[in-house]
Structure formats: C-alpha cells, structure tokens
Amino acid sequence: MTAIPDNRHITLIGAGLAGAVLATLLVQRGWRVDVYEKRGDPRVQGYGGGRSINLALAERGRHALRLAGADDAVMKHAVMMRGRMVHFLDGRTDLQRYGRDDSEVIWSVHRGELNVVLLDIAERAGARLHFDRGLSNVDFDARIATFTDPRDGSTHQAAFESLVGADGAGSALRSAMAKQVDLGERTESLGHSYKELEIPPARDGSFSIEPNALHIWPRGRYMCIALPNDERTFTVTLFLPNEGDPSFATVRTGHDARALFERDFADALPLIPDLEQDFERNPTGILATLYLDRWHLDGRAVLLGDAAHAMVPFHGQGMNCAFEDCVALAEQLDSQPDRAAAFAAFQADRLPNARAIQQMALENYLEMRDRVDDDDYLLQRALERELAQRHPDRFMPRYAMVTFHRIPYATAFERGRQQRELLVDLTRGHASLDTLDWNVVDAAVRERLSPLPVDA
C-alpha cells in the first residue's frame, strides 16, 4: 500500500455517531484517520454512555450513511414510524401521518446499537480507533494533544495536524479552543428536563402498542413520548418543566410519577410495569441549546455536530444534522486549498443551517406538547396536505422539507414561515375546508409562494 502523507492525516475527538461516520468518509477519500474516545469500546463492554433517547433517522442522515456504505447495516436495526400517534386525555388516539405514504417515514434507531454498527464500519474502512483516551490538554502551537486514560489516570500524547471535535455537547476540544479564541459560546436552557422509562414487549413477545408510530401524549406544558425499538420494546421519555406543578420539582419519586401517570397518562400506565423503579434509577436529562459564533481555530481545529450546535431533540434532527455536517466537512476538505479554508467554508455553509434547525426544534416542542390536539392546528394541517397535492411545485410542508428532503435547513425555515402565514390567513374564520373558496386559495398560493428550490 502507498503510504499516506502527513498532510492527509487528521485526528478526530469522539467515537460517537458523527465521529464514526466522518472517519469512514475521510478514509474513503484517502485520509489517514485516528479517532480518540474517552469511553471504553462499546463493542467490548457494551454501550454505556451519554444520552439514550432513541434517534429518528431521516433522509439527511440516510444520505450520509449511504455515502459511508452503512445504510444497509443500520436499517437492519431500524423500526419504521409512519407518523405521530396522538394519545388524548380521554383515551382516544389519532395517527397523524408524517408524509403522503410509506415512502415518507422516519426510522427509530437505538443510539447504542447504531454506534456499534458505525464503529465496525469505520474500523473496517481503515480508521484507527483509540478508546479510553479522554482529551485533557491541547498544545495548539506544538500541535500535541494529551489524552488521559480514565481507568488509571495515565496520560498519552499524540501529534496532530488538525483536530476535529465530534465529542458532543460537553466537548473537551471546544473547551480547549475557547482558551485560544472567543467562540461566542452561549447555552440557553429550555427550562424543561426529561426522564426515560420503558415499555417492555407484550406477554407473547410482540409490541405492546402500534409499533410503526412515534407515540405522543400531549398535555400542554408537558408531554410523554414513546419510540419503538427492534427488540419490541419502547423507549418512553417524560418531558416536564423544571419548576411549577407538575414539574421535576414536584414529581420527585417513583410514587409521585405513578400519581402523575394515573392522572395524565392513564392509558400508558399499564404499559410501564417498572415505572417507579425506572423513574428513580434513571438520571434526569437536561435540555438546552448550544450556540457558537465560531466553530474553528484556523486550520488546527474545527467542531461539528453537538460540539458545535447542540439542540433540543424535538425535531429528531440532531443526529441527521451532525451526519450532514460530516458530509459537508469531508467535501470541503477535498475541495479547498488548505485546511483553514476548508474549515472556514464549512462553518460559513453549516452555521446558518444549524441555527435554523435549532430554532425549528424549539418550535416543534411547543407543537408536540400543546398543538397536535388543537382544532386550529388540525385544520391547518388538513389544508397543508391539500395544498401539497394541489401545488407540489410551490407548497411542501416544512416537516417534509426538513425530514424527507435535503433542502437546506435555513431555506426550509424561511419557506416554512411564509407557508405558515398563508395557512393562518386562509383558515381564519373557517372551521372546515368545506367553506373555503378554492379559486381564492389557489390564487393566493401562486401569488405568495415562488416555485420550490430543487432538492439537494
């Protein structure tokens, strides 16, 4: 084999989902890649770290996986979700489809299983993986990174040309970069947190409830969701405010949690036999948005994924956005004259899109917990579907732009704002689509919406 020169060597911090995908994409392009991870190898000792909210895999993420040769392996573990199954307080349910048919769905995948699959693929591609190596110090002038083994405290040094931070919201590389340059870092807490629970399989080993849906129990200021797993369980996530009643300030024990479910999630309660134990054993997760004005330190370091733009999980796009980052960075490294130019171009391309999906994720929380059972929302959704059929060249639901296409997030955000204003205007004073004047509706669409951009 021909030796790869030092100027084609790159060092990744973090062997999570984005780190594994980026390593594969870069090796494919002829880079020599070393990946350092503070945890042990999850393929040896089991997945044990970080958040475990199930992930919703959509087209942006699948595009990156296809480029990395990982889509087939990942999809073996994925469960299709056709839409939101809304559980009303009175016990009724309603499936609100995400797309037109089964060609427009999202996929539930377990974070741990996905990480193991992607690490195997990265290693087979030729990436060198180093576990139990937590980044503890960076000498950017000498280009020396120091890693600490959490098992015995020993330190290990490695020379680098460039560091890429794929090490999550608590990024050690970001902390090191911030000592060199002002990143404009700020974190905005949502004021809500979450707790994970589990619905086991039914007694016959089947799913206990409809498997091909994302289940939502919307209750105004708070909600519960459930996503299916391929072992026929559901990962349940309870989202509550940090203060008020109910909140994590008032729901403190398993007994408190049971009382809350008896009152507000009665149909879910029989499905979660270990509710009290799960509530008391599992940690309370925080929800916040991380904003940076700067993602790179000339050509020596760059951040992506949650390390650069952590977001709340309510649009299911955190992983998909990170995978899209990986593709964008790999392409910039190939097309730009040097790494500083590549990192700057990557930031210029991706930062506005990250800001857009961060905002859409925040908006989706309000929609999921408080609007999916509103009459005005349901009427607007009905009109949205009708306009998408009548004017496919001009009207596409924002959710579809984000989830089933690769239209830039910033474009989807702005177009979605225009379309929402149109829906509100057209449905004002109406309780049903039957009373709309379709000639007026069609004229308004043609007047206010230009033809959609071609998908990426």
Short mmCIF file of all heavy atoms in Angstrom, two decimals, residues 270-297:
data_model
loop_
_atom_site.label_atom_id
_atom_site.label_comp_id
_atom_site.label_asym_id
_atom_site.label_seq_id
_atom_site.Cartn_x
_atom_site.Cartn_y
_atom_site.Cartn_z
N PRO A 270 -50.47 1.19 32.40
CA PRO A 270 -50.38 -0.28 32.42
C PRO A 270 -49.25 -0.83 31.55
O PRO A 270 -48.85 -1.99 31.73
CB PRO A 270 -51.74 -0.73 31.88
CG PRO A 270 -52.63 0.46 31.97
CD PRO A 270 -51.75 1.65 31.84
N LEU A 271 -48.75 -0.03 30.62
CA LEU A 271 -47.71 -0.49 29.70
C LEU A 271 -46.31 -0.40 30.31
O LEU A 271 -45.36 -0.96 29.75
CB LEU A 271 -47.73 0.36 28.42
CG LEU A 271 -49.06 0.43 27.67
CD1 LEU A 271 -48.99 1.48 26.57
CD2 LEU A 271 -49.41 -0.94 27.08
N ILE A 272 -46.16 0.31 31.45
CA ILE A 272 -44.84 0.58 32.03
C ILE A 272 -44.78 -0.06 33.41
O ILE A 272 -44.93 0.61 34.45
CB ILE A 272 -44.57 2.10 32.13
CG1 ILE A 272 -44.93 2.80 30.82
CG2 ILE A 272 -43.11 2.38 32.49
CD1 ILE A 272 -44.84 4.31 30.87
N PRO A 273 -44.59 -1.37 33.49
CA PRO A 273 -44.66 -2.06 34.79
C PRO A 273 -43.59 -1.62 35.78
O PRO A 273 -43.81 -1.71 37.00
CB PRO A 273 -44.50 -3.54 34.42
CG PRO A 273 -43.82 -3.53 33.08
CD PRO A 273 -44.31 -2.31 32.39
N ASP A 274 -42.45 -1.16 35.30
CA ASP A 274 -41.37 -0.75 36.20
C ASP A 274 -41.27 0.77 36.32
O ASP A 274 -40.19 1.33 36.48
CB ASP A 274 -40.03 -1.31 35.70
CG ASP A 274 -39.99 -2.83 35.75
OD1 ASP A 274 -40.66 -3.42 36.61
OD2 ASP A 274 -39.30 -3.43 34.90
N LEU A 275 -42.42 1.43 36.22
CA LEU A 275 -42.43 2.90 36.22
C LEU A 275 -41.67 3.48 37.40
O LEU A 275 -40.78 4.33 37.23
CB LEU A 275 -43.87 3.41 36.22
CG LEU A 275 -44.05 4.92 36.42
CD1 LEU A 275 -43.46 5.69 35.25
CD2 LEU A 275 -45.53 5.27 36.59
N GLU A 276 -42.00 3.05 38.61
CA GLU A 276 -41.37 3.64 39.79
C GLU A 276 -39.87 3.41 39.79
O GLU A 276 -39.08 4.33 40.04
CB GLU A 276 -41.98 3.09 41.08
CG GLU A 276 -43.39 3.56 41.34
CD GLU A 276 -44.43 2.57 40.87
OE1 GLU A 276 -44.17 1.87 39.85
OE2 GLU A 276 -45.51 2.51 41.49
N GLN A 277 -39.46 2.18 39.50
CA GLN A 277 -38.03 1.86 39.50
C GLN A 277 -37.29 2.61 38.40
O GLN A 277 -36.19 3.15 38.64
CB GLN A 277 -37.82 0.35 39.33
CG GLN A 277 -38.45 -0.50 40.43
CD GLN A 277 -39.85 -0.98 40.08
OE1 GLN A 277 -40.71 -0.18 39.69
NE2 GLN A 277 -40.07 -2.28 40.22
N ASP A 278 -37.87 2.66 37.19
CA ASP A 278 -37.24 3.38 36.09
C ASP A 278 -37.07 4.86 36.45
O ASP A 278 -36.02 5.46 36.21
CB ASP A 278 -38.08 3.28 34.81
CG ASP A 278 -37.96 1.93 34.12
OD1 ASP A 278 -37.09 1.13 34.54
OD2 ASP A 278 -38.73 1.69 33.18
N PHE A 279 -38.11 5.44 37.03
CA PHE A 279 -38.07 6.86 37.35
C PHE A 279 -36.97 7.17 38.37
O PHE A 279 -36.26 8.17 38.25
CB PHE A 279 -39.43 7.33 37.87
CG PHE A 279 -39.53 8.82 38.04
CD1 PHE A 279 -39.95 9.61 36.99
CD2 PHE A 279 -39.18 9.43 39.23
CE1 PHE A 279 -40.03 11.00 37.12
CE2 PHE A 279 -39.24 10.81 39.38
CZ PHE A 279 -39.67 11.60 38.32
N GLU A 280 -36.85 6.32 39.36
CA GLU A 280 -35.86 6.59 40.41
C GLU A 280 -34.45 6.19 40.01
O GLU A 280 -33.48 6.78 40.48
CB GLU A 280 -36.28 5.88 41.70
CG GLU A 280 -37.59 6.44 42.25
CD GLU A 280 -37.95 5.87 43.62
OE1 GLU A 280 -37.24 4.96 44.10
OE2 GLU A 280 -38.96 6.34 44.20
N ARG A 281 -34.32 5.21 39.12
CA ARG A 281 -32.99 4.72 38.74
C ARG A 281 -32.36 5.55 37.63
O ARG A 281 -31.15 5.79 37.63
CB ARG A 281 -33.09 3.26 38.30
CG ARG A 281 -31.76 2.63 37.87
CD ARG A 281 -31.91 1.18 37.53
NE ARG A 281 -32.82 0.98 36.39
CZ ARG A 281 -33.96 0.30 36.47
NH1 ARG A 281 -34.36 -0.24 37.59
NH2 ARG A 281 -34.73 0.17 35.38
N ASN A 282 -33.16 6.00 36.68
CA ASN A 282 -32.61 6.69 35.51
C ASN A 282 -32.35 8.17 35.82
O ASN A 282 -33.12 8.81 36.52
CB ASN A 282 -33.56 6.57 34.32
CG ASN A 282 -33.68 5.13 33.83
OD1 ASN A 282 -32.80 4.31 34.10
ND2 ASN A 282 -34.75 4.82 33.13
N PRO A 283 -31.27 8.72 35.27
CA PRO A 283 -30.95 10.13 35.55
C PRO A 283 -31.94 11.06 34.87
O PRO A 283 -32.61 10.70 33.90
CB PRO A 283 -29.55 10.28 34.95
CG PRO A 283 -29.48 9.25 33.87
CD PRO A 283 -30.27 8.08 34.37
N THR A 284 -32.04 12.27 35.40
CA THR A 284 -32.83 13.31 34.77
C THR A 284 -31.95 14.05 33.77
O THR A 284 -30.90 14.58 34.13
CB THR A 284 -33.36 14.31 35.83
OG1 THR A 284 -34.13 13.59 36.79
CG2 THR A 284 -34.24 15.37 35.18
N GLY A 285 -32.36 14.04 32.51
CA GLY A 285 -31.56 14.67 31.45
C GLY A 285 -31.93 16.13 31.27
O GLY A 285 -33.10 16.51 31.41
N ILE A 286 -30.95 16.95 30.96
CA ILE A 286 -31.20 18.37 30.74
C ILE A 286 -31.46 18.64 29.27
O ILE A 286 -31.04 17.87 28.40
CB ILE A 286 -30.03 19.23 31.25
CG1 ILE A 286 -28.74 18.91 30.47
CG2 ILE A 286 -29.83 19.07 32.74
CD1 ILE A 286 -27.61 19.86 30.77
N LEU A 287 -32.14 19.73 29.00
CA LEU A 287 -32.48 20.13 27.64
C LEU A 287 -32.01 21.57 27.43
O LEU A 287 -32.45 22.48 28.15
CB LEU A 287 -33.98 20.03 27.39
CG LEU A 287 -34.57 18.61 27.47
CD1 LEU A 287 -36.08 18.68 27.57
CD2 LEU A 287 -34.15 17.80 26.26
N ALA A 288 -31.12 21.77 26.48
CA ALA A 288 -30.57 23.10 26.25
C ALA A 288 -30.11 23.21 24.80
O ALA A 288 -29.93 22.21 24.10
CB ALA A 288 -29.41 23.38 27.20
N THR A 289 -29.92 24.44 24.35
CA THR A 289 -29.41 24.73 23.01
C THR A 289 -28.07 25.43 23.14
O THR A 289 -27.94 26.39 23.91
CB THR A 289 -30.40 25.63 22.24
OG1 THR A 289 -31.69 25.02 22.21
CG2 THR A 289 -29.92 25.85 20.80
N LEU A 290 -27.08 24.92 22.42
CA LEU A 290 -25.73 25.49 22.44
C LEU A 290 -25.51 26.30 21.16
O LEU A 290 -25.66 25.78 20.05
CB LEU A 290 -24.68 24.37 22.51
CG LEU A 290 -23.23 24.79 22.26
CD1 LEU A 290 -22.69 25.61 23.43
CD2 LEU A 290 -22.35 23.58 21.98
N TYR A 291 -25.13 27.56 21.33
CA TYR A 291 -24.84 28.43 20.20
C TYR A 291 -23.37 28.83 20.23
O TYR A 291 -22.84 29.20 21.28
CB TYR A 291 -25.69 29.70 20.25
CG TYR A 291 -27.18 29.47 20.23
CD1 TYR A 291 -27.92 29.51 21.41
CD2 TYR A 291 -27.85 29.23 19.03
CE1 TYR A 291 -29.29 29.31 21.40
CE2 TYR A 291 -29.22 29.03 19.01
CZ TYR A 291 -29.94 29.07 20.20
OH TYR A 291 -31.31 28.86 20.17
N LEU A 292 -22.72 28.74 19.09
CA LEU A 292 -21.37 29.26 18.92
C LEU A 292 -21.37 30.20 17.71
O LEU A 292 -22.04 29.93 16.72
CB LEU A 292 -20.35 28.15 18.65
CG LEU A 292 -20.15 27.04 19.69
CD1 LEU A 292 -19.07 26.08 19.19
CD2 LEU A 292 -19.76 27.61 21.03
N ASP A 293 -20.60 31.27 17.80
CA ASP A 293 -20.41 32.14 16.64
C ASP A 293 -19.23 31.70 15.79
O ASP A 293 -19.10 32.11 14.63
CB ASP A 293 -20.17 33.58 17.10
CG ASP A 293 -21.38 34.16 17.81
OD1 ASP A 293 -22.51 33.78 17.46
OD2 ASP A 293 -21.19 35.00 18.71
N ARG A 294 -18.37 30.87 16.37
CA ARG A 294 -17.17 30.41 15.67
C ARG A 294 -16.98 28.92 15.95
O ARG A 294 -17.05 28.50 17.10
CB ARG A 294 -15.96 31.21 16.15
CG ARG A 294 -14.66 30.90 15.41
CD ARG A 294 -13.47 31.67 16.02
NE ARG A 294 -12.25 31.40 15.28
CZ ARG A 294 -11.77 32.17 14.31
NH1 ARG A 294 -12.42 33.28 13.98
NH2 ARG A 294 -10.67 31.86 13.67
N TRP A 295 -16.71 28.16 14.89
CA TRP A 295 -16.56 26.72 15.03
C TRP A 295 -15.12 26.23 14.83
O TRP A 295 -14.86 25.05 15.01
CB TRP A 295 -17.44 26.00 14.00
CG TRP A 295 -18.91 26.13 14.21
CD1 TRP A 295 -19.56 26.82 15.19
CD2 TRP A 295 -19.93 25.53 13.40
NE1 TRP A 295 -20.92 26.71 15.03
CE2 TRP A 295 -21.18 25.92 13.95
CE3 TRP A 295 -19.91 24.72 12.27
CZ2 TRP A 295 -22.40 25.51 13.40
CZ3 TRP A 295 -21.12 24.31 11.71
CH2 TRP A 295 -22.35 24.69 12.28
N HIS A 296 -14.21 27.11 14.40
CA HIS A 296 -12.88 26.60 14.05
C HIS A 296 -11.78 27.53 14.56
O HIS A 296 -12.00 28.72 14.82
CB HIS A 296 -12.76 26.41 12.54
CG HIS A 296 -12.71 27.68 11.76
ND1 HIS A 296 -11.53 28.23 11.29
CD2 HIS A 296 -13.70 28.54 11.38
CE1 HIS A 296 -11.81 29.35 10.65
NE2 HIS A 296 -13.10 29.56 10.68
N LEU A 297 -10.60 26.97 14.70
CA LEU A 297 -9.38 27.70 15.06
C LEU A 297 -8.44 27.54 13.88
O LEU A 297 -7.75 26.52 13.75
CB LEU A 297 -8.78 27.13 16.34
CG LEU A 297 -7.44 27.69 16.81
CD1 LEU A 297 -7.55 29.18 17.12
CD2 LEU A 297 -6.94 26.93 18.04
#
